[in-house]
Amino acid sequence: MKKLQSLFIGILVIIVVLLFGVRQLEKASGMSGAKIVTIYNWGDYVDPSLITKFEQETGYKVNYETFDSNEAMFTKIQQGGTNYDIAIPSEYMIQKMIKEKLVLPLDHTKIKGLANIDDRFLNQDFDPNNTYSVPYFWGTLGIVYNDKMFKENEIKHWDDLWKPELRDSLMLIDGAREVMGLSLNSLGYSLNSKNRDQLNEAANKLNQMTPNIKAIVADEIKMYMINEEASVAVTFSGEAADMMSENEHLHYVIPSEGSNLWFDNIVMPKTAKNKEGAYDFINFMLEPENAAQNAEYIGYSTPNKKAKALLPKEISEDEQFYPSDDTISHLEVYEDLGPKYLGIYNDLFLEFKMYRK
């Protein structure tokens, strides 16, 4: 009996010591008693000074984690074991997360500033009435070219990427939807096509592009274009803005025949623990001054009309990044294709990459 009592007391002592150690660690890290908001976002996709400002204004501590693809984000949230209060996926993935019941419906009475969002970016098909999401950034997929190698009107359509003059000069983004989509658009088809004949035709056309391709990569495109090691690239508008800020000879065009219009929105995963903190973060990012600061830092287009009005005119009036309604009318949003057709797109893209080897 005494041995059992001694064992019990020993266990209690260990628990007390462990709790004391945890408390000391929390104090040392400044997290003692703090309200924590855990954010899951793309890398370098928020101005760090805004995180600091949010913490100072609200008393929250932000736990900021990053992902490098919508699919990686989806898998981690689906597997559970995470307590993200905020995540920022793209439109087709939001649609998929809604189907899988991985996001919570938002209480609009707790959201302040939704009226600041341009109506064009609300009530999209992937989330009618913005039941689950709040717009964060938007942009396009297009072509960057160097005016030392090409004149203004020489590179403005997807078909121009097949020109013999581009031999070993073209950088492609490493994405099945993007590359298959540009080929589909060049043929006059939807970038969400589920017609197998159209998909095969687009894949066959891509194979004819292989002599022009210097590399199929991701972030490396920036340095290739800035350092003028490549003359043309397919990339997203925000990435193009970064390149252009480093090299005045670079220009961005959106092919008039069609391209991708994308949206990244804020959602609340179903495992969110600090819902109050999540709403506070959403409201903070909807404030025009904060949204404008974030847009200048990131380089992508803000859907916040009041924030856009605060931006320098050389940004807000630049149609490369804030295209006209006519240009936008020719753009398409990626849809959730479902596992069958997503697999077909991925397989055709993989075959294309292997073909060029």
Side-chain angles (χ1 to χ4, degrees):
M1 187 67 178
K2 288 183 179 180
K3 287 184 179 180
L4 286 175
Q5 287 178 337
S6 298
L7 179 62
F8 181 69
I9 292 170
I11 291 172
L12 284 177
V13 170
I14 291 171
I15 290 172
V16 169
V17 169
L18 287 173
L19 286 173
F20 178 78
V22 169
R23 288 284 177 87
Q24 292 301 109
L25 286 172
E26 285 179 340
K27 287 180 181 178
S29 64
M31 299 295 280
S32 179
K35 301 176 291 181
I36 300 172
V37 178
T38 303
I39 298 171
Y40 199 28
N41 196 3
W42 299 86
D44 197 26
Y45 207 36
V46 67
D47 184 340
S49 66
L50 284 173
I51 295 294
T52 302
K53 182 181 177 182
F54 174 71
E55 291 178 328
Q56 291 173 343
E57 287 188 1
T58 63
Y60 291 112
K61 292 294 181 180
V62 172
N63 177 20
Y64 191 87
E65 296 185 28
T66 64
F67 55 85
D68 57 10
S69 73
N70 279 294
E71 287 68 29
M73 177 276 310
F74 175 87
T75 299
K76 193 165 184 182
I77 290 177
Q78 184 185 46
Q79 287 175 344
T82 59
N83 295 308
Y84 300 121
D85 303 307
I86 289 287
I88 305 180
S90 302
E91 68 296 309
Y92 74 95
M93 189 54 70
I94 293 171
Q95 188 177 32
K96 184 174 181 178
M97 294 175 80
I98 293 170
K99 289 179 182 177
E100 298 291 330
K101 299 185 180 348
L102 294 179
V103 288
L104 298 172
L106 300 176
D107 182 349
H108 282 211
T109 65
K110 295 182 179 179
I111 299 176
K112 302 172 184 176
L114 200 57
N116 296 337
I117 301 295
D118 190 316
D119 287 343
R120 294 179 301 169
F121 307 118
L122 295 171
N123 196 30
Q124 293 289 318
D125 289 343
F126 64 87
D127 182 18
N129 301 314
N130 291 88
T131 302
Y132 296 90
S133 70
V134 171
Y136 183 67
F137 276 122
W138 67 279
T140 57
L141 182 75
I143 305 169
V144 175
Y145 71 91
N146 190 310
D147 64 19
K148 287 184 179 180
M149 292 81 165
F150 298 98
K151 296 179 182 178
E152 182 178 350
N153 291 321
E154 286 186 291
I155 305 292
K156 62 178 184 178
H157 298 292
W158 291 126
D159 270 344
D160 293 332
L161 302 183
W162 278 264
K163 287 182 175 179
E165 303 94 285
L166 267 68
R167 187 176 185 87
D168 196 35
S169 301
L170 173 63
M171 306 291 293
L172 288 184
I173 191 168
D174 190 8
R177 295 297 301 272
E178 290 79 16
V179 175
M180 283 293 296
L182 73 85
S183 189
L184 286 163
N185 279 161
S186 76
L187 293 164
Y189 303 141
S190 167
L191 51 70
N192 293 304
S193 175
K194 290 185 177 181
N195 182 306
R196 193 58 199 261
D197 290 337
Q198 292 179 359
L199 294 175
N200 289 336
E201 186 181 355
N204 290 334
K205 185 173 182 178
L206 282 175
N207 291 338
Q208 298 168 27
M209 184 197 283
T210 54
N212 291 356
I213 299 171
K214 188 176 186 70
I216 301 175
V217 289
D219 294 340
E220 299 92 329
I221 288 178
K222 279 186 187 179
M223 295 313 301
Y224 271 94
M225 294 301 294
I226 291 169
N227 295 334
E228 300 184 349
E229 296 175 53
S231 56
V232 181
V234 174
T235 190
F236 293 109
S237 52
E239 298 295 293
D242 284 347
M243 298 176 207
M244 292 163 60
S245 68
E246 298 290 333
N247 188 324
E248 63 181 5
H249 294 286
L250 299 180
H251 306 272
Y252 180 72
V253 294
I254 306 168
S256 58
E257 58 271 21
S259 187
N260 170 231
L261 173 67
W262 58 262
F263 302 94
D264 286 343
N265 283 18
I266 301 173
V267 300
M268 197 184 303
K270 70 171 186 179
T271 53
K273 278 194 171 181
N274 189 351
K275 296 176 186 177
E276 180 182 349
Y279 282 115
D280 286 339
F281 182 78
I282 290 170
N283 294 337
F284 177 83
M285 296 308 299
L286 283 171
E287 292 177 18
E289 296 80 6
N290 297 332
Q293 179 180 328
N294 207 28
E296 279 203 74
Y297 176 85
I298 300 299
Y300 282 111
S301 305
T302 178
N304 191 314
K305 59 190 177 186
K306 290 189 176 181
K308 182 184 174 185
L310 298 176
L311 293 173
K313 286 189 176 181
E314 60 265 27
I315 295 176
S316 62
E317 295 181 359
D318 188 342
E319 289 201 2
Q320 295 174 103
F321 305 105
Y322 289 93
S324 66
D325 288 345
D326 181 61
T327 299
I328 290 178
S329 70
H330 293 91
L331 305 179
E332 288 182 275
V333 176
Y334 289 134
E335 297 174 0
D336 176 19
L337 297 171
K340 176 183 175 181
Y341 278 94
L342 182 60
I344 292 172
Y345 274 69
N346 288 336
D347 288 345
L348 291 173
F349 180 59
L350 181 60
E351 289 172 12
F352 161 63
K353 291 202 290 186
M354 293 177 65
Y355 181 87
R356 62 179 292 268
K357 294 179 181 179

